[in-house]
Amino acid sequence: MPQPEKYLSVSDYLAAEEQSSVKQEYHNGLLVDMAGGSIDHNRIAGNMYFELRSRLQDSCTVFNSDQKVYLDAVNHFVYPDVSVVCGELVSQNQAILNPVLIVEVLSEGTSAYDRGAKFRKYRTLPAFQEYLLIDQDQPVVDALFRESKDYWRMQTIIGLDREVPVHSLGIRIPMQAIYRGLDSLMEPQIPFDL
């Protein structure tokens, strides 16, 4: 017989997280284990962190995947691959509340969640303006940008010879820089698997 799921309060989660060697997200009382990323996943996330940090200097704060974000509207603590806060940092329980940009590196296991439910949850953040979804197997980036309160525009960038416009920050990042150090990239598959 399956065991009933154990629900934790936010304070219990935060206390347990301080002692844990395993990173877990908090989804309204339930703990969700974070899978370790592949070498390519971590390399892409590291490249994005570096490119954003070097372009933004001190105008914004760039965070890696160790920084959690709190989604108050759905009572979730999540760990994006990269996040950026511009202006005053707003935080609660060591989690940021006001990222402008969030970057996720897609894997076969997380792609549907990152594109769907996770994006809908991120959209509850008032400061959130842009979402970059980076395919780890082929040079394809989906850039979603908030045009207005309820309207998002998407641009798909395909190929290593292109640049990714980051509208919320007024910068462009070459695809070559995002995929630097990856030797096993596939040619973009058109139509590629969404």
mmCIF file with all atom_site columns, all heavy atoms in Angstrom, residues 43 47 50 67-68 76 87 92 96 127 137 147 154 168 173 178 180 187:
data_model
loop_
_atom_site.group_PDB
_atom_site.id
_atom_site.type_symbol
_atom_site.label_atom_id
_atom_site.label_alt_id
_atom_site.label_comp_id
_atom_site.label_asym_id
_atom_site.label_entity_id
_atom_site.label_seq_id
_atom_site.pdbx_PDB_ins_code
_atom_site.Cartn_x
_atom_site.Cartn_y
_atom_site.Cartn_z
_atom_site.occupancy
_atom_site.B_iso_or_equiv
_atom_site.pdbx_formal_charge
_atom_site.auth_seq_id
_atom_site.auth_comp_id
_atom_site.auth_asym_id
_atom_site.auth_atom_id
_atom_site.pdbx_PDB_model_num
ATOM 1   N N   . ARG A 1 43  ? 27.491 23.031 -18.271 1.00 0.00 ? 43  ARG A N   1
ATOM 2   C CA  . ARG A 1 43  ? 28.360 23.908 -19.065 1.00 0.00 ? 43  ARG A CA  1
ATOM 3   C C   . ARG A 1 43  ? 27.542 25.056 -19.669 1.00 0.00 ? 43  ARG A C   1
ATOM 4   O O   . ARG A 1 43  ? 27.960 26.215 -19.623 1.00 0.00 ? 43  ARG A O   1
ATOM 5   C CB  . ARG A 1 43  ? 29.061 23.093 -20.154 1.00 0.00 ? 43  ARG A CB  1
ATOM 6   C CG  . ARG A 1 43  ? 30.116 23.879 -20.894 1.00 0.00 ? 43  ARG A CG  1
ATOM 7   C CD  . ARG A 1 43  ? 30.941 22.987 -21.787 1.00 0.00 ? 43  ARG A CD  1
ATOM 8   N NE  . ARG A 1 43  ? 31.927 22.293 -20.961 1.00 0.00 ? 43  ARG A NE  1
ATOM 9   C CZ  . ARG A 1 43  ? 32.460 21.113 -21.257 1.00 0.00 ? 43  ARG A CZ  1
ATOM 10  N NH1 . ARG A 1 43  ? 32.088 20.469 -22.338 1.00 0.00 ? 43  ARG A NH1 1
ATOM 11  N NH2 . ARG A 1 43  ? 33.361 20.586 -20.472 1.00 0.00 ? 43  ARG A NH2 1
ATOM 12  N N   . ASN A 1 47  ? 27.994 28.917 -18.869 1.00 0.00 ? 47  ASN A N   1
ATOM 13  C CA  . ASN A 1 47  ? 28.249 29.879 -19.945 1.00 0.00 ? 47  ASN A CA  1
ATOM 14  C C   . ASN A 1 47  ? 27.271 31.053 -19.873 1.00 0.00 ? 47  ASN A C   1
ATOM 15  O O   . ASN A 1 47  ? 27.657 32.210 -20.031 1.00 0.00 ? 47  ASN A O   1
ATOM 16  C CB  . ASN A 1 47  ? 28.125 29.204 -21.314 1.00 0.00 ? 47  ASN A CB  1
ATOM 17  C CG  . ASN A 1 47  ? 29.281 28.257 -21.623 1.00 0.00 ? 47  ASN A CG  1
ATOM 18  O OD1 . ASN A 1 47  ? 30.314 28.269 -20.956 1.00 0.00 ? 47  ASN A OD1 1
ATOM 19  N ND2 . ASN A 1 47  ? 29.083 27.417 -22.619 1.00 0.00 ? 47  ASN A ND2 1
ATOM 20  N N   . PHE A 1 50  ? 28.161 33.328 -16.963 1.00 0.00 ? 50  PHE A N   1
ATOM 21  C CA  . PHE A 1 50  ? 29.337 34.120 -17.298 1.00 0.00 ? 50  PHE A CA  1
ATOM 22  C C   . PHE A 1 50  ? 28.995 35.237 -18.291 1.00 0.00 ? 50  PHE A C   1
ATOM 23  O O   . PHE A 1 50  ? 29.394 36.398 -18.103 1.00 0.00 ? 50  PHE A O   1
ATOM 24  C CB  . PHE A 1 50  ? 30.436 33.229 -17.891 1.00 0.00 ? 50  PHE A CB  1
ATOM 25  C CG  . PHE A 1 50  ? 31.625 34.005 -18.381 1.00 0.00 ? 50  PHE A CG  1
ATOM 26  C CD1 . PHE A 1 50  ? 32.590 34.463 -17.499 1.00 0.00 ? 50  PHE A CD1 1
ATOM 27  C CD2 . PHE A 1 50  ? 31.761 34.310 -19.733 1.00 0.00 ? 50  PHE A CD2 1
ATOM 28  C CE1 . PHE A 1 50  ? 33.671 35.202 -17.950 1.00 0.00 ? 50  PHE A CE1 1
ATOM 29  C CE2 . PHE A 1 50  ? 32.837 35.055 -20.195 1.00 0.00 ? 50  PHE A CE2 1
ATOM 30  C CZ  . PHE A 1 50  ? 33.801 35.500 -19.307 1.00 0.00 ? 50  PHE A CZ  1
ATOM 31  N N   . GLN A 1 67  ? 20.664 29.514 -6.267  1.00 0.00 ? 67  GLN A N   1
ATOM 32  C CA  . GLN A 1 67  ? 19.779 30.541 -5.707  1.00 0.00 ? 67  GLN A CA  1
ATOM 33  C C   . GLN A 1 67  ? 18.317 30.175 -5.929  1.00 0.00 ? 67  GLN A C   1
ATOM 34  O O   . GLN A 1 67  ? 17.881 30.009 -7.052  1.00 0.00 ? 67  GLN A O   1
ATOM 35  C CB  . GLN A 1 67  ? 20.056 31.904 -6.346  1.00 0.00 ? 67  GLN A CB  1
ATOM 36  C CG  . GLN A 1 67  ? 19.162 33.011 -5.838  1.00 0.00 ? 67  GLN A CG  1
ATOM 37  C CD  . GLN A 1 67  ? 19.254 33.180 -4.325  1.00 0.00 ? 67  GLN A CD  1
ATOM 38  O OE1 . GLN A 1 67  ? 20.332 33.453 -3.804  1.00 0.00 ? 67  GLN A OE1 1
ATOM 39  N NE2 . GLN A 1 67  ? 18.146 33.005 -3.618  1.00 0.00 ? 67  GLN A NE2 1
ATOM 40  N N   . LYS A 1 68  ? 17.589 30.057 -4.826  1.00 0.00 ? 68  LYS A N   1
ATOM 41  C CA  . LYS A 1 68  ? 16.172 29.744 -4.983  1.00 0.00 ? 68  LYS A CA  1
ATOM 42  C C   . LYS A 1 68  ? 15.352 31.010 -5.189  1.00 0.00 ? 68  LYS A C   1
ATOM 43  O O   . LYS A 1 68  ? 15.743 32.102 -4.789  1.00 0.00 ? 68  LYS A O   1
ATOM 44  C CB  . LYS A 1 68  ? 15.650 28.906 -3.818  1.00 0.00 ? 68  LYS A CB  1
ATOM 45  C CG  . LYS A 1 68  ? 15.696 29.544 -2.457  1.00 0.00 ? 68  LYS A CG  1
ATOM 46  C CD  . LYS A 1 68  ? 15.209 28.529 -1.399  1.00 0.00 ? 68  LYS A CD  1
ATOM 47  C CE  . LYS A 1 68  ? 15.360 29.073 -0.005  1.00 0.00 ? 68  LYS A CE  1
ATOM 48  N NZ  . LYS A 1 68  ? 16.682 28.900 0.563   1.00 0.00 ? 68  LYS A NZ  1
ATOM 49  N N   . HIS A 1 76  ? 5.668  28.137 -3.786  1.00 0.00 ? 76  HIS A N   1
ATOM 50  C CA  . HIS A 1 76  ? 6.738  27.266 -4.280  1.00 0.00 ? 76  HIS A CA  1
ATOM 51  C C   . HIS A 1 76  ? 8.092  27.954 -4.092  1.00 0.00 ? 76  HIS A C   1
ATOM 52  O O   . HIS A 1 76  ? 8.208  29.160 -4.312  1.00 0.00 ? 76  HIS A O   1
ATOM 53  C CB  . HIS A 1 76  ? 6.585  27.005 -5.778  1.00 0.00 ? 76  HIS A CB  1
ATOM 54  C CG  . HIS A 1 76  ? 5.569  25.989 -6.152  1.00 0.00 ? 76  HIS A CG  1
ATOM 55  N ND1 . HIS A 1 76  ? 4.340  25.869 -5.563  1.00 0.00 ? 76  HIS A ND1 1
ATOM 56  C CD2 . HIS A 1 76  ? 5.599  25.030 -7.102  1.00 0.00 ? 76  HIS A CD2 1
ATOM 57  C CE1 . HIS A 1 76  ? 3.658  24.893 -6.124  1.00 0.00 ? 76  HIS A CE1 1
ATOM 58  N NE2 . HIS A 1 76  ? 4.407  24.362 -7.068  1.00 0.00 ? 76  HIS A NE2 1
ATOM 59  N N   . GLY A 1 87  ? 18.032 46.358 -10.202 1.00 0.00 ? 87  GLY A N   1
ATOM 60  C CA  . GLY A 1 87  ? 17.520 47.268 -9.183  1.00 0.00 ? 87  GLY A CA  1
ATOM 61  C C   . GLY A 1 87  ? 17.647 46.630 -7.813  1.00 0.00 ? 87  GLY A C   1
ATOM 62  O O   . GLY A 1 87  ? 18.475 45.752 -7.575  1.00 0.00 ? 87  GLY A O   1
ATOM 63  N N   . GLN A 1 92  ? 13.135 36.931 0.568   1.00 0.00 ? 92  GLN A N   1
ATOM 64  C CA  . GLN A 1 92  ? 12.430 36.425 1.742   1.00 0.00 ? 92  GLN A CA  1
ATOM 65  C C   . GLN A 1 92  ? 12.944 35.007 1.978   1.00 0.00 ? 92  GLN A C   1
ATOM 66  O O   . GLN A 1 92  ? 12.976 34.201 1.044   1.00 0.00 ? 92  GLN A O   1
ATOM 67  C CB  . GLN A 1 92  ? 10.928 36.412 1.456   1.00 0.00 ? 92  GLN A CB  1
ATOM 68  C CG  . GLN A 1 92  ? 10.073 35.811 2.541   1.00 0.00 ? 92  GLN A CG  1
ATOM 69  C CD  . GLN A 1 92  ? 8.597  35.833 2.128   1.00 0.00 ? 92  GLN A CD  1
ATOM 70  O OE1 . GLN A 1 92  ? 8.124  36.727 1.450   1.00 0.00 ? 92  GLN A OE1 1
ATOM 71  N NE2 . GLN A 1 92  ? 7.887  34.816 2.550   1.00 0.00 ? 92  GLN A NE2 1
ATOM 72  N N   . ILE A 1 96  ? 14.945 34.855 -3.696  1.00 0.00 ? 96  ILE A N   1
ATOM 73  C CA  . ILE A 1 96  ? 14.651 36.111 -4.367  1.00 0.00 ? 96  ILE A CA  1
ATOM 74  C C   . ILE A 1 96  ? 13.191 36.106 -4.838  1.00 0.00 ? 96  ILE A C   1
ATOM 75  O O   . ILE A 1 96  ? 12.618 35.064 -5.159  1.00 0.00 ? 96  ILE A O   1
ATOM 76  C CB  . ILE A 1 96  ? 15.625 36.410 -5.522  1.00 0.00 ? 96  ILE A CB  1
ATOM 77  C CG1 . ILE A 1 96  ? 15.608 35.325 -6.597  1.00 0.00 ? 96  ILE A CG1 1
ATOM 78  C CG2 . ILE A 1 96  ? 17.021 36.609 -5.002  1.00 0.00 ? 96  ILE A CG2 1
ATOM 79  C CD1 . ILE A 1 96  ? 16.475 35.644 -7.803  1.00 0.00 ? 96  ILE A CD1 1
ATOM 80  N N   . ALA A 1 127 ? 7.761  41.065 -11.268 1.00 0.00 ? 127 ALA A N   1
ATOM 81  C CA  . ALA A 1 127 ? 8.939  41.639 -11.918 1.00 0.00 ? 127 ALA A CA  1
ATOM 82  C C   . ALA A 1 127 ? 9.402  40.833 -13.136 1.00 0.00 ? 127 ALA A C   1
ATOM 83  O O   . ALA A 1 127 ? 10.165 41.337 -13.960 1.00 0.00 ? 127 ALA A O   1
ATOM 84  C CB  . ALA A 1 127 ? 10.095 41.734 -10.915 1.00 0.00 ? 127 ALA A CB  1
ATOM 85  N N   . ASP A 1 137 ? 20.792 19.910 -26.424 1.00 0.00 ? 137 ASP A N   1
ATOM 86  C CA  . ASP A 1 137 ? 21.255 18.952 -27.427 1.00 0.00 ? 137 ASP A CA  1
ATOM 87  C C   . ASP A 1 137 ? 21.473 19.555 -28.807 1.00 0.00 ? 137 ASP A C   1
ATOM 88  O O   . ASP A 1 137 ? 22.184 18.987 -29.620 1.00 0.00 ? 137 ASP A O   1
ATOM 89  C CB  . ASP A 1 137 ? 20.252 17.795 -27.543 1.00 0.00 ? 137 ASP A CB  1
ATOM 90  C CG  . ASP A 1 137 ? 20.118 17.027 -26.239 1.00 0.00 ? 137 ASP A CG  1
ATOM 91  O OD1 . ASP A 1 137 ? 21.152 16.773 -25.590 1.00 0.00 ? 137 ASP A OD1 1
ATOM 92  O OD2 . ASP A 1 137 ? 18.977 16.700 -25.864 1.00 0.00 ? 137 ASP A OD2 1
ATOM 93  N N   . GLU A 1 147 ? 5.320  41.314 -23.338 1.00 0.00 ? 147 GLU A N   1
ATOM 94  C CA  . GLU A 1 147 ? 4.975  42.550 -24.043 1.00 0.00 ? 147 GLU A CA  1
ATOM 95  C C   . GLU A 1 147 ? 4.087  43.437 -23.188 1.00 0.00 ? 147 GLU A C   1
ATOM 96  O O   . GLU A 1 147 ? 4.192  44.653 -23.225 1.00 0.00 ? 147 GLU A O   1
ATOM 97  C CB  . GLU A 1 147 ? 4.236  42.218 -25.341 1.00 0.00 ? 147 GLU A CB  1
ATOM 98  C CG  . GLU A 1 147 ? 5.125  41.648 -26.403 1.00 0.00 ? 147 GLU A CG  1
ATOM 99  C CD  . GLU A 1 147 ? 5.571  42.694 -27.391 1.00 0.00 ? 147 GLU A CD  1
ATOM 100 O OE1 . GLU A 1 147 ? 4.762  43.537 -27.782 1.00 0.00 ? 147 GLU A OE1 1
ATOM 101 O OE2 . GLU A 1 147 ? 6.748  42.655 -27.751 1.00 0.00 ? 147 GLU A OE2 1
ATOM 102 N N   . MET A 1 154 ? 7.151  35.207 -28.323 1.00 0.00 ? 154 MET A N   1
ATOM 103 C CA  . MET A 1 154 ? 8.224  34.218 -28.356 1.00 0.00 ? 154 MET A CA  1
ATOM 104 C C   . MET A 1 154 ? 8.996  34.313 -29.668 1.00 0.00 ? 154 MET A C   1
ATOM 105 O O   . MET A 1 154 ? 8.402  34.487 -30.724 1.00 0.00 ? 154 MET A O   1
ATOM 106 C CB  . MET A 1 154 ? 7.667  32.802 -28.218 1.00 0.00 ? 154 MET A CB  1
ATOM 107 C CG  . MET A 1 154 ? 8.773  31.759 -28.139 1.00 0.00 ? 154 MET A CG  1
ATOM 108 S SD  . MET A 1 154 ? 8.145  30.093 -27.863 1.00 0.00 ? 154 MET A SD  1
ATOM 109 C CE  . MET A 1 154 ? 8.142  29.478 -29.528 1.00 0.00 ? 154 MET A CE  1
ATOM 110 N N   . SER A 1 168 ? 14.807 42.398 -22.009 1.00 0.00 ? 168 SER A N   1
ATOM 111 C CA  . SER A 1 168 ? 14.651 42.987 -20.671 1.00 0.00 ? 168 SER A CA  1
ATOM 112 C C   . SER A 1 168 ? 15.934 43.637 -20.164 1.00 0.00 ? 168 SER A C   1
ATOM 113 O O   . SER A 1 168 ? 15.885 44.499 -19.295 1.00 0.00 ? 168 SER A O   1
ATOM 114 C CB  . SER A 1 168 ? 14.175 41.929 -19.676 1.00 0.00 ? 168 SER A CB  1
ATOM 115 O OG  . SER A 1 168 ? 15.110 40.867 -19.591 1.00 0.00 ? 168 SER A OG  1
ATOM 116 N N   . ILE A 1 173 ? 23.361 37.994 -26.786 1.00 0.00 ? 173 ILE A N   1
ATOM 117 C CA  . ILE A 1 173 ? 24.354 36.977 -26.444 1.00 0.00 ? 173 ILE A CA  1
ATOM 118 C C   . ILE A 1 173 ? 24.517 36.035 -27.635 1.00 0.00 ? 173 ILE A C   1
ATOM 119 O O   . ILE A 1 173 ? 23.540 35.436 -28.084 1.00 0.00 ? 173 ILE A O   1
ATOM 120 C CB  . ILE A 1 173 ? 23.940 36.185 -25.189 1.00 0.00 ? 173 ILE A CB  1
ATOM 121 C CG1 . ILE A 1 173 ? 23.784 37.135 -23.997 1.00 0.00 ? 173 ILE A CG1 1
ATOM 122 C CG2 . ILE A 1 173 ? 24.959 35.092 -24.885 1.00 0.00 ? 173 ILE A CG2 1
ATOM 123 C CD1 . ILE A 1 173 ? 23.289 36.481 -22.737 1.00 0.00 ? 173 ILE A CD1 1
ATOM 124 N N   . ILE A 1 178 ? 26.938 30.752 -25.781 1.00 0.00 ? 178 ILE A N   1
ATOM 125 C CA  . ILE A 1 178 ? 26.063 29.918 -24.958 1.00 0.00 ? 178 ILE A CA  1
ATOM 126 C C   . ILE A 1 178 ? 26.497 28.459 -25.020 1.00 0.00 ? 178 ILE A C   1
ATOM 127 O O   . ILE A 1 178 ? 26.511 27.749 -24.011 1.00 0.00 ? 178 ILE A O   1
ATOM 128 C CB  . ILE A 1 178 ? 24.592 30.067 -25.407 1.00 0.00 ? 178 ILE A CB  1
ATOM 129 C CG1 . ILE A 1 178 ? 24.096 31.493 -25.135 1.00 0.00 ? 178 ILE A CG1 1
ATOM 130 C CG2 . ILE A 1 178 ? 23.695 29.032 -24.731 1.00 0.00 ? 178 ILE A CG2 1
ATOM 131 C CD1 . ILE A 1 178 ? 22.750 31.823 -25.759 1.00 0.00 ? 178 ILE A CD1 1
ATOM 132 N N   . ARG A 1 180 ? 29.507 27.295 -25.941 1.00 0.00 ? 180 ARG A N   1
ATOM 133 C CA  . ARG A 1 180 ? 30.962 27.149 -25.896 1.00 0.00 ? 180 ARG A CA  1
ATOM 134 C C   . ARG A 1 180 ? 31.349 25.876 -25.134 1.00 0.00 ? 180 ARG A C   1
ATOM 135 O O   . ARG A 1 180 ? 30.841 25.606 -24.052 1.00 0.00 ? 180 ARG A O   1
ATOM 136 C CB  . ARG A 1 180 ? 31.599 28.357 -25.218 1.00 0.00 ? 180 ARG A CB  1
ATOM 137 C CG  . ARG A 1 180 ? 33.125 28.317 -25.167 1.00 0.00 ? 180 ARG A CG  1
ATOM 138 C CD  . ARG A 1 180 ? 33.705 29.546 -24.505 1.00 0.00 ? 180 ARG A CD  1
ATOM 139 N NE  . ARG A 1 180 ? 33.430 30.734 -25.303 1.00 0.00 ? 180 ARG A NE  1
ATOM 140 C CZ  . ARG A 1 180 ? 32.730 31.783 -24.871 1.00 0.00 ? 180 ARG A CZ  1
ATOM 141 N NH1 . ARG A 1 180 ? 32.226 31.804 -23.657 1.00 0.00 ? 180 ARG A NH1 1
ATOM 142 N NH2 . ARG A 1 180 ? 32.522 32.813 -25.661 1.00 0.00 ? 180 ARG A NH2 1
ATOM 143 N N   . GLU A 1 187 ? 22.764 18.815 -35.242 1.00 0.00 ? 187 GLU A N   1
ATOM 144 C CA  . GLU A 1 187 ? 22.255 19.838 -36.143 1.00 0.00 ? 187 GLU A CA  1
ATOM 145 C C   . GLU A 1 187 ? 20.813 20.113 -35.747 1.00 0.00 ? 187 GLU A C   1
ATOM 146 O O   . GLU A 1 187 ? 20.083 19.183 -35.361 1.00 0.00 ? 187 GLU A O   1
ATOM 147 C CB  . GLU A 1 187 ? 22.316 19.354 -37.592 1.00 0.00 ? 187 GLU A CB  1
ATOM 148 C CG  . GLU A 1 187 ? 23.717 19.357 -38.169 1.00 0.00 ? 187 GLU A CG  1
ATOM 149 C CD  . GLU A 1 187 ? 24.284 20.760 -38.286 1.00 0.00 ? 187 GLU A CD  1
ATOM 150 O OE1 . GLU A 1 187 ? 23.568 21.694 -38.719 1.00 0.00 ? 187 GLU A OE1 1
ATOM 151 O OE2 . GLU A 1 187 ? 25.456 20.940 -37.927 1.00 0.00 ? 187 GLU A OE2 1
#
